Every structure is written in C-alpha cells, then in structure tokens.
Amino acid sequence: MAAGARSGPARKEPGPSTLKSRSRTLCPSGRALRQCNMAQGLIEVERKFTPGPDTEERLQELGGTLEHRVTFQDTYYDTSELSLMRSDHWLRQREGSGWELKCPGVSGISGSHNEYVELTSESAIVAQLFQLLGAEELGTAGVAAVLGSLKLQEVASFVTTRSSWMLALSGASEEEPKLRVDLDSTDFGYAVGEVEVMVREKGEVPAALEKISSFSTLLGVPAQETAPAKLMVYLQRFRPLDYQHLLEANSCSEATGDSTS
C-alpha cells in the first residue's frame, strides 16, 4: 500500500487535526448535533506542521526530551455516509491504547490551530455515538459491541511510526502544561508533525494557543503553513470518493455559515 511521499493536498479540507487558519467546527451538521460533554474529557489544542530533516535536532536545541519512539496501527470507523466525520467527530481504535472519540471544541477562538475534546471512556463514547447517530441506547456495552447496530464500519487503517517529545518554554512555571511534539511517519509515505497542549477548561485555551504559537515560531514553522492530517491524506489516496464527499460537506458548511470561524 506504499505510495510516494508528498506534502498532501494544499486546498482546504476537513479533518481531525488539519492545520487551518480558523478553529472548529468545520462540518455542515456540527451545529445540529450536541457537543461532547466537556467534563468527560480533556481539551486538545493542536497545530500540524510539515517536519524537515533537522526538526529533531532543533527540538533538542530548544530543550526537548525524547520520550519514546513507537509504532502503532490506527483504525477509523464511520457509517457509509460518513455521518461522524461530516459532523467533525472522529472514532478511532488505536493498537495498544483502545478507543477514542474526538469531538469539536467550542472556544470559538480563531487561529491556525484545532481544538478537540477527547473521550476515552468506552461508556462515554458509546453514549455519545448513540446521541450523534440518533439511535436509542440499549443496555450497557463496549464500543466494539455496538458497531453493528450503529452501522459503523472500518473506513481507514494504517500504521504510524512516531517519535514523541516533551518540552517547556523558557520561563514557564512548573504548573503550566508542557508542550508535546509528535513526529509521525506512515506506512503509506506521508510524514507530519504536531504541536499539542492538553487543557481541562476552555478558559485555558488562549494560553495554550499562545504557547503553541510561540513555540512554532522558535521551531521555524511558517505562521500560515498548512499540513493535512494523516487520515485525510489516506482518504484522498485510497478512498477518493469519501474524501470528495468530505470536501463537499466542508464547502456546504462554509457556504451556509454553519462552521465556526
């Protein structure tokens, strides 16, 4: 399934972590669905960038510490109509880590970043899936047990090799959350980096954005650089019809003003 390495599409597109000059929500039905309960998960504030051959050396110069290098497989699930992705929700099973549902954040702060609430409790994920898909929840079950009844199927699966770095900006207090930088390389020839800060309250998002912006400048990332998410590049290459449907949903969202700018 290997393909030649490319930087990915340059046009605007939806995605679980695409670098954009705006915040969430991107998809047309996002406002018609309830947001994930903020109390059920952390808020992920992130920015994608294109890593270069000297990125790891620069991270070391900035005081970064390599936490680990790992290889894992991600499998994404959705309905045949991509009901979850079209509403900016992303259901993933990661090898060795379990299930995760990413839901759009709600801070409304614009900028070249993304915000998501991450649910990792299976009971919370199942409850949210039934709500999002308009189905009646029956009993208590894990995510795998409800895939069939919710008509959720595999839409993408790929292997990622990741190096994870942790660092704090100069002058940051010990209480402030550290920056995490992940450098990913996939088995289909795409590489992408991500700067991430996890916060518990939406009031902490502005400070997280400032950290990401300051660090990105130090790392040499251009202010308006765009880097597609791994999943979107995968769909573009191997499921082009699904990829096009997501692009069309995003265009509809922009045209109707449903997306948050």
Side-chain angles (χ1 to χ4, degrees), residues 13-223:
E13 60 187 29
S17 46
T18 326
L19 172 62
K20 292 184 178 293
S21 58
R22 59 179 183 169
S23 183
R24 306 282 101 181
T25 305
L26 297 178
C27 299
S29 56
R31 289 192 177 183
L33 301 172
R34 298 180 185 177
Q35 298 289 350
C36 291
N37 187 342
M38 303 290 278
Q40 292 178 336
L42 295 173
I43 303 172
E44 174 188 56
V45 186
E46 62 183 31
R47 180 181 181 183
K48 293 290 189 187
F49 66 95
T50 302
D54 60 347
T55 298
E56 290 200 346
E57 179 180 352
R58 182 58 179 153
L59 286 170
Q60 292 177 353
E61 293 173 352
L62 294 172
T65 301
L66 177 63
E67 282 203 317
H68 55 252
R69 296 185 193 274
V70 295
T71 299
F72 51 85
Q73 183 168 2
D74 284 333
T75 303
Y76 287 85
Y77 292 83
D78 208 332
T79 66
S80 59
E81 298 83 11
L82 304 181
S83 301
L84 295 177
M85 294 182 185
R86 287 165 60 90
S87 64
D88 205 17
H89 292 78
W90 309 86
L91 177 63
R92 181 189 72 201
Q93 184 181 37
R94 173 163 292 174
E95 177 185 21
S97 299
W99 292 93
E100 177 185 273
L101 178 64
K102 283 192 176 185
C103 310
V106 293
S107 76
I109 301 174
S110 62
S112 54
H113 68 283
N114 295 325
E115 302 161 34
Y116 281 95
V117 177
E118 297 182 336
L119 301 184
T120 56
S121 163
E122 287 205 37
S123 60
I125 292 173
V126 169
Q128 190 68 29
L129 288 175
F130 275 95
Q131 178 176 286
L132 289 167
L133 297 174
E136 182 179 353
E137 187 172 357
L138 301 174
T140 302
V143 177
V146 302
L147 294 178
S149 62
L150 293 176
K151 299 182 180 179
L152 293 167
Q153 60 193 26
E154 179 182 315
V155 296
S157 186
F158 50 85
V159 175
T160 297
T161 299
R162 167 174 293 177
S163 62
S164 294
W165 298 74
M166 294 293 289
L167 70 162
L169 292 177
S170 177
S173 67
E174 294 185 0
E175 293 77 18
E176 295 182 50
K178 290 186 177 182
L179 287 161
R180 179 186 185 93
V181 181
D182 291 330
L183 303 179
D184 290 353
S185 178
T186 69
D187 63 349
F188 58 90
Y190 179 62
V192 67
E194 175 183 295
V195 185
E196 173 187 292
V197 177
M198 302 294 292
V199 298
R200 295 188 177 277
E201 306 287 342
K202 65 180 182 179
E204 298 175 293
V205 170
L209 295 177
E210 182 61 32
K211 284 178 179 292
I212 290 174
S213 177
S214 298
F215 175 75
S216 297
T217 300
L218 293 174
L219 196 59
V221 178

